[in-house]
Amino acid sequence: YRSRGMATGMAAACNYVIVFLATKTNYNLEASFHISGTFAIYAILAFIGTMYLYLYLPETENKSLAEIEAYYKGNQKIFANDCLINAFRKKNHTNTDVVKPMLVN
């Protein structure tokens, strides 16, 4: 439980730093790139962040806290069942039971 509290605090601190940087750089970006360029820069950064979240963070819907903790401890892998992620996943399965989305030890 202690590590979860520490991670929550670190995530909040990172959020405050990012919001501070966005606030402080907004005026200079607006002076250099005008309002449309500034919004385009922030939109590109938001899109990159969204792609990172979509591709690299595991799906936690309908997963218990124990399953999520086991994933981050490295004891289990939670495979997402998503058409985009499945398109890039390596196809080294010889057993057909492994292809189904499930928890694997």
Side-chain angles (χ1 to χ4, degrees):
Y1 295 112
R2 188 173 48 167
S3 64
R4 251 185 285 157
M6 178 72 76
T8 302
M10 289 175 59
C14 286
N15 180 45
Y16 291 138
V17 168
I18 290 170
V19 169
F20 173 78
L21 291 174
T23 303
K24 290 306 246 183
T25 59
N26 186 39
Y27 180 75
N28 294 333
L29 286 173
E30 199 172 315
S32 299
F33 300 108
H34 305 291
I35 193 75
S36 59
T38 302
F39 278 112
I41 289 170
Y42 288 137
I44 290 168
L45 292 173
F47 180 75
I48 291 169
T50 302
M51 288 295 100
Y52 173 78
L53 290 175
Y54 182 76
L55 294 174
Y56 293 106
L57 292 180
E59 177 61 55
T60 57
E61 185 178 2
N62 297 326
K63 302 286 187 242
S64 69
L65 183 58
E67 290 173 323
I68 296 167
E69 287 177 346
Y71 173 81
Y72 283 109
K73 286 180 184 176
N75 297 334
Q76 294 179 342
K77 299 292 182 197
I78 301 173
F79 294 126
N81 188 19
D82 185 88
C83 61
L84 181 64
I85 293 173
N86 289 338
F88 292 107
R89 186 179 297 153
K90 293 181 181 177
K91 306 279 193 243
N92 293 336
H93 308 296
T94 56
N95 187 354
T96 58
D97 293 337
V98 180
V99 177
K100 299 174 186 171
M102 63 180 180
L103 293 176
V104 179
N105 287 332

